[in-house]
PDB file of all heavy atoms in Angstrom:
ATOM      1  N   ASP A 181      42.617   1.348   0.255  1.00 97.00           N
ATOM      2  CA  ASP A 181      42.359   2.493   1.064  1.00 97.00           C
ATOM      3  C   ASP A 181      42.861   2.422   2.517  1.00 97.00           C
ATOM      4  O   ASP A 181      42.677   1.293   3.149  1.00 97.00           O
ATOM      5  CB  ASP A 181      40.833   2.695   1.032  1.00 97.00           C
ATOM      6  CG  ASP A 181      40.461   4.086   1.465  1.00 97.00           C
ATOM      7  OD1 ASP A 181      41.352   4.935   1.632  1.00 97.00           O
ATOM      8  OD2 ASP A 181      39.217   4.414   1.578  1.00 97.00           O
ATOM      9  N   HIS A 182      43.329   3.443   3.040  1.00 96.00           N
ATOM     10  CA  HIS A 182      43.795   3.527   4.450  1.00 96.00           C
ATOM     11  C   HIS A 182      44.663   2.345   4.809  1.00 96.00           C
ATOM     12  O   HIS A 182      44.375   1.705   5.879  1.00 96.00           O
ATOM     13  CB  HIS A 182      42.577   3.682   5.307  1.00 96.00           C
ATOM     14  CG  HIS A 182      42.132   5.116   5.409  1.00 96.00           C
ATOM     15  ND1 HIS A 182      42.777   6.028   6.075  1.00 96.00           N
ATOM     16  CD2 HIS A 182      41.001   5.673   4.816  1.00 96.00           C
ATOM     17  CE1 HIS A 182      42.148   7.194   5.924  1.00 96.00           C
ATOM     18  NE2 HIS A 182      41.066   7.055   5.148  1.00 96.00           N
ATOM     19  N   THR A 201      46.417   4.352  -0.645  1.00 98.00           N
ATOM     20  CA  THR A 201      46.236   5.427   0.319  1.00 98.00           C
ATOM     21  C   THR A 201      47.029   5.021   1.653  1.00 98.00           C
ATOM     22  O   THR A 201      46.617   4.111   2.318  1.00 98.00           O
ATOM     23  CB  THR A 201      44.720   5.682   0.648  1.00 98.00           C
ATOM     24  OG1 THR A 201      44.121   6.077  -0.525  1.00 98.00           O
ATOM     25  CG2 THR A 201      44.512   6.645   1.716  1.00 98.00           C
ATOM     26  N   ASP A 203      47.930   5.376   5.201  1.00 98.00           N
ATOM     27  CA  ASP A 203      47.385   6.016   6.393  1.00 98.00           C
ATOM     28  C   ASP A 203      48.553   6.094   7.447  1.00 98.00           C
ATOM     29  O   ASP A 203      49.025   5.036   7.926  1.00 98.00           O
ATOM     30  CB  ASP A 203      46.218   5.213   6.936  1.00 98.00           C
ATOM     31  CG  ASP A 203      45.605   5.759   8.227  1.00 98.00           C
ATOM     32  OD1 ASP A 203      46.308   6.528   8.959  1.00 98.00           O
ATOM     33  OD2 ASP A 203      44.409   5.441   8.460  1.00 98.00           O
ATOM     34  N   SER A 293      47.629  10.010   3.779  1.00 97.00           N
ATOM     35  CA  SER A 293      46.427  10.320   4.493  1.00 97.00           C
ATOM     36  C   SER A 293      46.805  10.593   6.022  1.00 97.00           C
ATOM     37  O   SER A 293      47.418   9.743   6.755  1.00 97.00           O
ATOM     38  CB  SER A 293      45.421   9.062   4.480  1.00 97.00           C
ATOM     39  OG  SER A 293      44.893   8.786   5.695  1.00 97.00           O
ATOM     40  N   ASP A 295      44.336  12.040   7.899  1.00 92.00           N
ATOM     41  CA  ASP A 295      42.969  12.545   8.329  1.00 92.00           C
ATOM     42  C   ASP A 295      42.376  11.712   9.483  1.00 92.00           C
ATOM     43  O   ASP A 295      41.444  12.198  10.116  1.00 92.00           O
ATOM     44  CB  ASP A 295      42.025  12.428   7.155  1.00 92.00           C
ATOM     45  CG  ASP A 295      41.694  11.039   6.681  1.00 92.00           C
ATOM     46  OD1 ASP A 295      42.676  10.342   6.462  1.00 92.00           O
ATOM     47  OD2 ASP A 295      40.522  10.674   6.562  1.00 92.00           O
ATOM     48  N   GLU A 296      42.973  10.597   9.826  1.00 88.00           N
ATOM     49  CA  GLU A 296      42.454   9.715  10.894  1.00 88.00           C
ATOM     50  C   GLU A 296      43.102  10.116  12.189  1.00 88.00           C
ATOM     51  O   GLU A 296      43.617   9.334  12.906  1.00 88.00           O
ATOM     52  CB  GLU A 296      42.640   8.260  10.553  1.00 88.00           C
ATOM     53  CG  GLU A 296      41.989   7.811   9.254  1.00 88.00           C
ATOM     54  CD  GLU A 296      40.458   7.560   9.382  1.00 88.00           C
ATOM     55  OE1 GLU A 296      40.066   6.924  10.373  1.00 88.00           O
ATOM     56  OE2 GLU A 296      39.744   7.967   8.524  1.00 88.00           O
ATOM     57  N   ALA A 324      45.477  13.859   2.161  1.00 97.00           N
ATOM     58  CA  ALA A 324      44.225  14.045   2.849  1.00 97.00           C
ATOM     59  C   ALA A 324      44.430  14.584   4.275  1.00 97.00           C
ATOM     60  O   ALA A 324      44.810  13.850   5.148  1.00 97.00           O
ATOM     61  CB  ALA A 324      43.483  12.697   2.974  1.00 97.00           C
ATOM     62  N   HIS A 366      38.037  13.184   2.278  1.00 89.00           N
ATOM     63  CA  HIS A 366      37.440  11.991   2.648  1.00 89.00           C
ATOM     64  C   HIS A 366      36.163  12.301   3.240  1.00 89.00           C
ATOM     65  O   HIS A 366      36.010  12.595   4.413  1.00 89.00           O
ATOM     66  CB  HIS A 366      38.258  11.219   3.620  1.00 89.00           C
ATOM     67  CG  HIS A 366      39.594  10.715   3.082  1.00 89.00           C
ATOM     68  ND1 HIS A 366      40.337   9.756   3.606  1.00 89.00           N
ATOM     69  CD2 HIS A 366      40.206  11.095   1.956  1.00 89.00           C
ATOM     70  CE1 HIS A 366      41.432   9.553   2.845  1.00 89.00           C
ATOM     71  NE2 HIS A 366      41.299  10.354   1.837  1.00 89.00           N
ATOM     72  N   LYS A 389      36.748  11.393  -1.933  1.00 94.00           N
ATOM     73  CA  LYS A 389      36.541   9.959  -1.582  1.00 94.00           C
ATOM     74  C   LYS A 389      35.272   9.743  -0.922  1.00 94.00           C
ATOM     75  O   LYS A 389      35.064  10.330   0.249  1.00 94.00           O
ATOM     76  CB  LYS A 389      37.753   9.595  -0.667  1.00 94.00           C
ATOM     77  CG  LYS A 389      37.939   8.072  -0.608  1.00 94.00           C
ATOM     78  CD  LYS A 389      39.202   7.683   0.181  1.00 94.00           C
ATOM     79  CE  LYS A 389      40.463   7.871  -0.566  1.00 94.00           C
ATOM     80  NZ  LYS A 389      41.578   6.950  -0.159  1.00 94.00           N
TER      81      LYS A 389
HETATM   82 ZN1  LIG B 601      40.159   8.973   5.549  1.00 77.11          ZN
END
Side-chain angles (χ1 to χ4, degrees):
D181 195 8
H182 279 288
T201 297
D203 182 336
S293 139
D295 66 311
E296 299 281 314
H366 293 197
K389 197 176 283 204

